[in-house]
Amino acid sequence: MPRRRSRRRAELRAGLARTRRYLLSHHEPGEYYRCHSLSLGGRTVHVCARCSGVYPGILAGVALVLTGTGPAAWPWLVAAGPAPALVDWAVTTFTRRRGSNALRTASGALLGLGYGVAVPWFLTDRPLWLLGVAAVYGGVAAALLVRSRGRADSSDSGDGEGPGDGHENSSHGA
């Protein structure tokens, strides 16, 4: 038994060592321009710019619902909040525009605010139209992801599209 436990710990350490760089950023090194770079203890830490807005936004949205603050704004936050992040992601994925981390963080905060309001609101009051909003955003995002993956696949065929032609943001998000 102790031997098995020791082997599991070694496997866990090895797995954590391989995935450590993805803890705060899910981007590959070629996409670190989509991250805030922080210097901590002599090391550079990359934090996804959009996610750095999403998570505080979620907390703020949950706080709004739990405290009952601004309920008249909730439908707008849920319906329109995610749109800037989706548009920014699409523009930087399907064009040569690289965007800015300030915009990624701000649009991520709006996205998070929409999530943070929608989920607890749905779980408590169950307004069914929230499912419609989720379905529309989910459908648009899924279609765009399929399209972006198709572009990435076609870049492998040498058609001049995608990463090999200097178009660095061909398929990855946030």
Side-chain angles (χ1 to χ4, degrees):
M1 192 76 136
R3 193 167 234 208
R4 184 181 298 170
R5 192 175 301 158
S6 176
R7 190 170 15 143
R8 286 182 188 158
R9 279 191 212 140
E11 288 174 5
L12 178 61
R13 280 192 201 110
L16 289 174
R18 284 191 307 270
T19 59
R20 179 183 6 227
R21 72 180 179 145
Y22 297 107
L23 182 62
L24 298 174
S25 171
H26 46 88
H27 297 288
E28 296 293 333
E31 291 186 323
Y32 280 165
Y33 66 89
R34 294 177 181 247
C35 299
H36 298 294
S37 297
L38 310 169
S39 183
L40 296 174
R43 299 182 102 177
T44 300
V45 177
H46 302 282
V47 180
C48 174
R50 187 153 355 259
C51 292
S52 70
V54 168
Y55 295 111
I58 290 172
L59 291 175
V62 169
L64 288 176
V65 174
L66 291 179
T67 61
T69 304
W74 297 356
W76 294 102
L77 291 172
V78 171
L86 184 61
V87 168
D88 181 58
W89 174 80
V91 165
T92 59
T93 297
F94 297 111
T95 71
R96 294 186 183 275
R97 188 172 178 283
R98 284 177 75 143
S100 74
N101 285 341
L103 181 59
R104 285 184 189 95
T105 301
S107 66
L110 289 171
L111 174 64
L113 200 54
Y115 287 167
V117 167
V119 172
W121 188 16
F122 183 76
L123 293 174
T124 56
D125 293 344
R126 291 186 179 75
L128 292 179
W129 66 269
L130 290 175
L131 293 175
V133 171
V136 168
Y137 276 114
V140 170
L144 290 171
L145 282 170
V146 167
R147 183 167 184 251
S148 74
R149 298 293 181 225
R151 288 172 52 98
D153 292 344
S154 69
S155 70
D156 296 338
S157 66
D159 67 355
E161 290 286 320
D165 71 347
H167 187 75
E168 296 153 5
N169 6 328
S170 64
S171 66
H172 294 351

